[in-house]
Amino acid sequence: MSVIFPFPLPTTGAFSFCNCISSTEHYQLLADADVHRARVRDVLKRAKRRNIQDMLEVVKAIEDYIPYAFTIKDGLESGDLLLDAEIVTSWRLPLTGSHKHLVENQRVQVPTIYFEISMTLLTYALSLLSLGEETYQVSNSEEKWKQATAHLLSAQALLIYLSTHPLQLGSTPPLDLYPSTLTPMIYLISGSLHLLVIYKSLPSATSSASKPPPASLMSRISIYALEQYSAALSLLPTSLRNDELQDWVRDAKSYASAVAQRYMAVERESKGDVGSAIAFCAAARTELKGGSAAEILKSSSKLLHKKPNIPFSSSSSLSSSKSSRGGTDGGKQNDGIQGRIRALRSELEELENNYRTQNDRLTFQKIPDAREIKRNWPSGREVVAPRSEWVPPKSLVGWDSAEDVVTESRDGVRNGYSGQGQYY
């Protein structure tokens, strides 16, 4: 029942700005930055060991630290802060390192404040994704849909910012910060934002919705999610590919495709086209089960020996009793998206059984083949648009000459700081 792939969070080594920068006037700024960074390091270590019960603690620690990191960057660029020693921080790359649980990734050390800021923002985005998943899984409030969506949108905006403001650290920058690494993640989040819309549309014991959304709209939303997952899968660089991530995206893609066809089946049946409704159900089951559509249609006759059930459009649900008792599952969601797939497969069998019974007794329509119904698919529809690009916070200190120095750095002039101008 997950809505986003569980990306790991990185960890970082100890570091002190006070050891790299001497400033009597701004000593307190540097000391406070060290305190906030130490807190970020601590919460990330505890999150890795699963000693944190609420991802909000991680998100809050990073949010408190980010303004200090950007303020120090601006001070270095303006020349108001001078380096005694190069800023060199170390981070374990969360995306492109080893994905074997018994192998811990080595920390990567890169000089300049820009590496520190970029890894902090990447960590912020990943923690927001985890918070969005946590909100969706744990909360019973109707507000959880808005809250989870907001967290995913914020993470997406951060990744868009990172992908459009890439680091320039020579010929071998960290792979986790490559635009080619971040772009498929942006598509993945877009798919998951629409997967949330699909999940919300499903009937549940805790849902207050009195009327289900139109099947025609939901089919197009599902197709859009399918398109986004397909793009994410096709754009995954070699460095980001691993079995867990690829399997999750493939499952999400199959689920979105099957849900789209399930809604198209409901829409066709409502218009009296029972033959096409049966074909869509069979094609959806093919998506989830494997095998050819012809084999699925042939085996579908066995469904007629089962006792008919009430169609989905009136009162049935895609949530199985095993995976969602009382609508919450007690906070345990071990099945992931596979639980949704099993429930959908069962629902499609029931739905197709009802349509076949109706066709054999009343309508006697021809059932079209899979290629014919594929030509009648509608276009996908985006209903959750990305936010505008994330905007860095304003400096906590008014650096008088910051604007002039940034302009000079774009013209190739660097004064007093080896990393100046390498970020933009």
Side-chain angles (χ1 to χ4, degrees):
M1 293 180 67
S2 60
V3 75
I4 190 70
F5 178 77
F7 289 101
L9 296 180
T11 55
T12 183
F15 172 78
S16 172
F17 286 106
C18 288
N19 291 338
C20 297
I21 303 171
S22 295
S23 175
T24 304
E25 183 180 358
H26 300 293
Y27 175 80
Q28 191 59 51
L29 168 73
L30 300 172
D32 289 345
D34 284 345
V35 170
H36 285 291
R37 192 186 190 280
R39 183 178 169 222
V40 169
R41 179 171 181 261
D42 175 66
V43 295
L44 289 175
K45 287 175 63 177
R46 289 193 287 119
K48 180 180 179 180
R49 296 169 184 167
R50 303 179 187 273
N51 291 334
I52 286 183
Q53 302 300 318
D54 190 346
M55 278 302 302
L56 187 60
E57 182 180 353
V58 179
V59 170
K60 186 64 169 61
I62 298 174
E63 287 177 342
D64 290 343
Y65 169 60
I66 286 175
Y68 287 90
F70 272 94
T71 299
I72 292 172
K73 174 190 78 71
D74 293 342
L76 290 169
E77 289 178 337
S78 69
D80 291 280
L81 294 177
L82 298 177
L83 286 175
D84 295 328
E86 184 65 89
I87 292 176
V88 181
T89 57
S90 62
W91 290 79
R92 286 194 172 92
L93 302 182
L95 304 177
T96 59
S98 172
H99 297 281
K100 297 180 180 179
H101 297 294
L102 298 179
V103 179
E104 187 173 46
N105 298 331
Q106 295 295 317
R107 289 199 187 103
V108 174
Q109 288 189 340
V110 178
T112 79
I113 187 69
Y114 303 112
F115 174 67
E116 168 69 8
I117 287 177
S118 295
M119 286 304 301
T120 301
L121 294 182
L122 177 60
T123 306
Y124 185 27
L126 296 178
S127 64
L128 283 168
L129 293 180
S130 296
L131 181 58
E133 175 71 14
E134 180 182 275
T135 302
Y136 161 70
Q137 297 283 13
V138 176
S139 175
N140 293 324
S141 169
E142 281 295 309
E143 288 297 310
K144 75 175 185 179
W145 304 105
K146 290 182 180 180
Q147 293 169 356
T149 297
H151 296 321
L152 264 60
L153 282 170
S154 295
Q156 187 182 47
L158 281 158
L159 295 180
I160 292 173
Y161 175 84
L162 281 173
S163 67
T164 54
H165 298 78
L167 281 166
Q168 298 178 12
L169 298 173
S171 58
T172 56
L175 292 175
D176 285 46
L177 300 173
Y178 269 39
S180 59
T181 300
L182 302 175
T183 298
M185 293 182 61
I186 294 170
Y187 279 105
L188 174 60
I189 295 171
S190 181
S192 291
L193 284 165
H194 289 75
L195 190 62
L196 264 174
V197 177
I198 296 170
Y199 285 173
K200 184 180 180 181
S201 73
L202 303 178
S204 69
T206 59
S207 176
S208 62
S210 57
K211 185 179 180 181
S216 59
L217 173 62
M218 292 309 304
S219 65
R220 294 185 63 190
I221 292 173
S222 303
I223 290 172
Y224 186 82
L226 165 64
E227 293 168 349
Q228 298 302 293
Y229 286 130
S230 298
L233 198 58
S234 66
L235 292 172
L236 283 179
T238 303
S239 59
L240 194 55
R241 290 177 184 172
N242 64 82
D243 291 340
E244 290 184 3
L245 174 58
Q246 288 178 290
D247 287 348
W248 192 96
V249 178
R250 288 192 186 102
D251 286 343
K253 178 183 171 183
S254 296
Y255 180 82
S257 177
V259 168
Q261 293 179 91
R262 187 216 119 357
Y263 276 114
M264 285 186 273
V266 172
E267 182 184 10
R268 291 302 179 89
E269 190 276 338
S270 69
K271 296 178 179 179
D273 190 356
V274 180
S276 293
I278 295 171
F280 274 119
C281 286
R285 292 176 56 224
T286 303
E287 192 71 48
L288 299 176
K289 198 172 183 178
S292 68
E295 291 171 344
I296 295 293
L297 281 169
K298 184 176 180 181
S299 65
S300 294
S301 60
K302 299 177 182 179
L303 297 175
L304 295 176
H305 298 292
K306 297 182 179 181
K307 183 179 178 181
N309 292 284
I310 300 174
F312 179 94
S313 54
S314 58
S315 63
S316 60
S317 170
L318 291 185
S319 299
S320 66
S321 59
K322 290 183 180 179
S323 64
S324 182
R325 292 173 183 165
T328 64
D329 192 28
K332 296 180 179 179
Q333 306 291 348
N334 297 324
D335 285 343
I337 201 168
Q338 283 292 335
R340 288 281 188 183
I341 289 176
R342 287 193 295 271
L344 177 57
R345 186 185 297 122
S346 175
E347 172 59 34
L348 286 166
E349 291 178 356
E350 296 176 4
L351 201 61
E352 185 179 343
N353 184 29
N354 287 322
Y355 292 160
R356 283 187 169 276
T357 300
Q358 181 180 344
N359 196 45
D360 290 347
R361 293 178 182 178
L362 298 173
T363 55
F364 310 107
Q365 295 177 1
K366 179 183 176 181
I367 301 173
D369 61 31
R371 286 176 296 182
E372 184 177 344
I373 63 170
K374 183 73 173 178
R375 290 195 294 267
N376 296 323
W377 275 40
S379 59
R381 179 172 174 179
E382 181 183 33
V383 293
V384 187
R387 288 180 178 172
S388 56
E389 182 182 286
W390 181 80
V391 178
K394 293 182 178 180
S395 292
L396 301 174
V397 176
W399 308 115
D400 294 336
S401 56
E403 205 172 297
D404 296 334
V405 173
V406 171
T407 302
E408 290 176 354
S409 68
R410 289 172 182 167
D411 295 332
V413 179
R414 298 180 181 179
N415 297 320
Y417 179 49
S418 61
Q420 184 178 308
Q422 291 186 358
Y423 191 65
Y424 295 100

